[in-house]
Amino acid sequence: MFAGALLAYLLGGLLLIWLYRHQINPDGVAYISIAQKYAHGQFGDALNGYWGPLLSWLLVPFAWLGLPMQLGAKLIALCAGGATIVLAWRCMERWQIGIWLRYATIAVLIVLAWYWALPSPITPDLIMVPILLGYTYVLAGRYASPMKQGFALGAIAALGYYGKSYFLPFFMAHIVVWSVFIWWRNKKHWQQALQPYAVAVVVAVLLIAPWAIAISAKYHQLTLSTSGQYNFNLIGPASAGHPVTSAGLLPPPNSTAITAWEDPTYTPISGWSPLSSRAALVFYGQTIIENVRAIGALFVGFSVFALAVLAAGIILLTLRWHERESAQLFTLLSTIVVYAGGYALVVREERYLWPAFGLTLLLAVYMANYYGFYKKRAAFMVGAGMMMASVVAAPITILATQANTGLALKQGADVMRPLFTGKERVASDSFDSFAYCYYLRVVCYGQINPLQGDQAVRDQLKHYQITDIILMKPAPELPVYLSNYEVVPTNNPAIILLRLKK
């Protein structure tokens, strides 16, 4: 019966995918462009310290076969959703969850996976969901050989790092938390108990090392990732937001890149340290508090019962600390808290928390099964129904209302295609123009910042030899700095296209 549910998910996803095949976003453009470089053997330009390489590697076969890369990204996301469903089922089997509760959970996960895979942005965050599920599955499992468990944990940690570099600091932080828990429970045999986790760290380091060496050579300094430092600087007191939207025109990082967003490492952003002054420390403390509040709001957005589930888990863990089942309860709770809490130190977005959301759903199922809530059948059925309805309500709405998302952008680019040869250099008044540049295969130098002043903008346009400007926010009169450009008639009513006068 489970095989039938999984098949229904895959077949339903393949039918729905056609409605969302045109969805595109800046991150997706970067992953696709990097994948094309790998496919064409341009490894130097493909190496990237900001974007995890796993999604781009998975996209390479689609580039080799000449298949639509956006469609390929959605197929990969559907497969990640399928892996999530399989691993969730395996977890519930291990926990001996009641069969009807298992199927109800799988039904919810099917809707969630469709939502995360199809109308949502092209992102590796859905890939991280089964990776985090696999991590928790192995972490709390019983293995005859500590080496076997340690190797499995280390391999999963390395795979997570290649998906998103954030997984590495999460793994290191969580393995410390877990080791303290294991030491507390096995004080007499703590060295033997902690052996798998020491092995896991060594295996993870060895598997990560080749990539770290490669990107360190590219950036000429020891580098595990550049995304952490960039995102940390992004929340600094002097930050004006992403440089691609605030710093004016920026050149792409290499000759085949579409925008500077392909490697934000090279974009200008002010560094800072919370320890530089008392004011900076206070600012960072306030930022963390705001991030924690926002993360809590995102959990509530996932389900109005999510925070209640986490609170109930903490209470049950406290009351039943010495029971055998508390190890699994601690695994789920600590993984959710550390994974979600780490984003409070930098930046947070709803999609970053998808792995934690998936575990929160399983935490609710685990508690309902093991701690007897389901024995009060009527109350449980009502509560379970309300929880699951709250989880799927928004995804169903989005799936229904966002069909054909991105189609208008593609159609707009298609009618403009005869006006472009591919050699143009494009700027815009909105970073959203990246989609036109992606479809037209032209280089985009980003978003004009009129706050820099007319002369500064004019100098930038001249310096980068900008030939075309796409205006997505038409005004009654063109700004002074665009006086060297003239309007080119198009059949796209959503924009105004300007071209440099001859």
Side-chain angles (χ1 to χ4, degrees):
M1 193 170 175
F2 169 69
L6 182 61
L7 183 62
Y9 162 75
L10 293 173
L11 291 177
L14 291 174
L15 291 173
L16 289 170
I17 199 172
W18 198 249
L19 299 175
Y20 308 98
R21 69 190 186 281
H22 298 301
Q23 186 277 320
I24 193 64
N25 55 294
D27 295 11
V29 170
Y31 284 113
I32 288 170
S33 181
I34 292 167
Q36 290 169 334
K37 291 175 175 57
Y38 280 116
H40 297 137
Q42 300 166 329
F43 300 116
D45 289 339
L47 287 173
N48 195 297
Y50 188 86
W51 306 108
L54 181 58
L55 178 54
S56 293
W57 289 344
L58 294 173
L59 281 167
V60 168
F62 294 92
W64 282 339
L65 294 172
L67 298 175
M69 300 291 278
Q70 291 160 264
L71 183 62
K74 295 301 176 185
L75 287 171
I76 291 168
L78 274 179
C79 291
T84 297
I85 291 168
V86 170
L87 282 166
W89 183 266
R90 292 293 302 274
C91 286
M92 290 188 289
E93 274 189 328
R94 173 180 283 180
W95 304 335
Q96 298 179 333
I97 303 297
I99 190 67
W100 292 111
L101 185 53
R102 270 190 252 174
Y103 282 118
T105 306
I106 293 302
V108 172
L109 283 174
I110 285 173
V111 176
L112 269 179
W114 282 341
Y115 159 57
W116 287 340
L118 300 175
S120 297
I122 295 171
T123 170
D125 291 289
L126 179 50
I127 297 174
M128 304 309 295
V129 179
I131 290 176
L132 193 64
L133 275 176
Y135 172 79
T136 56
Y137 182 83
V138 173
L139 188 65
R142 297 180 180 275
Y143 291 82
S145 167
M147 290 292 292
K148 183 178 179 180
Q149 184 183 21
F151 184 85
L153 282 174
I156 292 171
L159 183 65
Y161 165 78
Y162 284 116
K164 285 190 73 169
S165 61
Y166 173 78
F167 201 89
L168 180 60
F170 155 75
F171 167 71
M172 300 304 291
H174 188 260
I175 213 69
V176 169
V177 172
W178 179 256
S179 296
V180 171
F181 172 75
I182 293 298
W183 169 80
W184 184 266
R185 298 284 290 260
N186 301 273
K187 289 183 179 178
K188 292 183 179 179
H189 308 286
W190 66 272
Q191 289 178 317
Q192 181 179 356
L194 294 180
Q195 184 179 349
Y197 316 116
V199 172
V201 172
V202 172
V203 170
V205 169
L206 291 175
L207 293 176
I208 287 167
W211 180 256
I213 292 170
I215 59 174
S216 295
K218 178 169 184 174
Y219 296 111
H220 308 293
Q221 60 181 351
L222 180 62
T223 305
L224 293 175
S225 167
T226 62
S227 61
Q229 186 62 51
Y230 175 93
N231 289 328
F232 181 74
N233 291 338
L234 192 63
I235 63 170
S239 173
H242 289 289
V244 290
T245 61
S246 63
L249 303 187
L250 296 171
N254 55 71
S255 60
T256 56
I258 296 172
T259 72
W261 190 240
E262 184 169 306
D263 192 348
T265 307
Y266 294 113
T267 58
I269 189 168
S270 300
W272 74 294
S273 169
L275 302 178
S276 62
S277 67
R278 184 177 182 275
L281 186 60
V282 170
F283 173 84
Y284 190 43
Q286 292 172 338
T287 300
I288 292 174
I289 292 171
E290 172 57 24
N291 280 347
V292 169
R293 184 204 64 77
I295 288 171
L298 291 171
F299 269 89
V300 172
F302 169 68
S303 168
V304 293
F305 301 103
L307 294 183
V309 167
L310 294 175
I314 293 170
I315 293 170
L316 284 171
L317 182 64
T318 304
L319 295 175
R320 305 189 179 220
W321 178 259
H322 297 290
E323 294 183 5
R324 187 181 68 176
E325 288 79 12
S326 67
Q328 184 61 64
L329 187 58
F330 181 83
T331 304
L332 288 166
L333 275 170
S334 63
T335 304
I336 292 166
V337 171
V338 175
Y339 193 90
Y343 282 113
L345 303 178
V346 279
V347 293
R348 80 283 170 183
E349 285 191 30
E350 187 250 359
R351 60 186 174 84
Y352 296 171
L353 302 178
W354 290 349
F357 292 163
L359 284 182
T360 301
L361 178 63
L362 292 184
L363 173 64
V365 171
Y366 180 82
M367 290 192 299
N369 189 77
Y370 261 99
Y371 294 101
F373 299 142
Y374 69 99
K375 292 179 181 178
K376 297 180 179 180
R377 192 166 185 80
F380 167 70
M381 292 300 289
V382 172
M386 291 174 63
M387 169 74 179
M388 293 182 179
S390 71
V391 171
V392 300
I396 289 175
T397 302
I398 292 171
L399 282 165
T401 58
Q402 292 193 8
N404 294 316
T405 180
L407 177 59
L409 284 171
K410 184 180 186 304
Q411 290 174 336
D414 286 344
V415 300
M416 293 165 57
R417 196 177 308 280
L419 300 173
F420 288 84
T421 64
K423 298 180 180 179
E424 291 79 9
R425 297 185 173 203
V426 178
S428 179
D429 61 347
S430 172
F431 189 57
D432 291 339
S433 65
F434 74 90
Y436 289 114
C437 296
Y438 166 71
Y439 284 121
L440 295 170
R441 294 182 175 84
V442 295
V443 178
C444 183
Y445 282 73
Q447 182 176 337
I448 294 168
N449 183 359
L451 298 179
Q452 293 176 322
D454 290 342
Q455 190 57 48
V457 173
R458 183 174 287 175
D459 290 343
Q460 286 185 345
L461 294 171
K462 182 178 180 180
H463 176 72
Y464 292 120
Q465 301 177 0
I466 302 301
T467 61
D468 293 77
I469 297 175
I470 294 174
L471 298 181
M472 301 185 69
K473 304 172 184 175
E477 295 183 5
L478 294 180
V480 174
Y481 55 77
L482 297 180
S483 58
N484 291 335
Y485 295 80
E486 59 186 357
V487 176
V488 177
T490 72
N491 292 320
N492 184 351
I495 68 163
I496 292 177
L497 176 63
L498 303 177
R499 181 155 288 169
L500 188 64
K501 295 177 182 177
K502 296 181 179 178

